[in-house]
Amino acid sequence: MPVADGLVLKSGSYVRLVVNARHTSYSGQWYSEKVFNVAMGERIAGNRFLSAEPEQTLDLRANLF
């Protein structure tokens, strides 16, 4: 999977952005990870995110431990 400094979304392409976070409150702390799959184009197949790997991935996860 290629890793880019920034994402360039072209017509018909699909990119993935991955982020994580540590949250705290009075009841403790917890961790989350979110994955955003984004496609652009006139016609995008319903299974686009399942049928192939993204053209670009931007992984912004931090070491939270």
Side-chain angles (χ1 to χ4, degrees):
M1 233 182 277
V3 176
D5 293 331
L7 297 177
V8 177
L9 191 58
K10 298 177 183 175
S11 183
S13 70
Y14 144 44
V15 298
R16 178 177 291 150
L17 170 64
V18 184
V19 295
N20 66 346
R22 180 174 37 210
H23 311 277
T24 58
S25 70
Y26 292 109
S27 60
Q29 66 180 359
W30 66 97
Y31 300 88
S32 66
E33 181 174 302
K34 303 230 185 244
V35 178
F36 299 93
N37 292 305
V38 180
M40 183 179 107
E42 293 291 322
R43 297 179 187 169
I44 303 296
N47 66 346
R48 176 68 173 111
F49 303 127
L50 300 174
S51 62
E53 290 293 316
E55 283 80 16
Q56 298 176 69
T57 297
L58 182 56
D59 189 343
L60 298 176
R61 291 179 290 182
N63 183 2
L64 302 174
F65 304 100

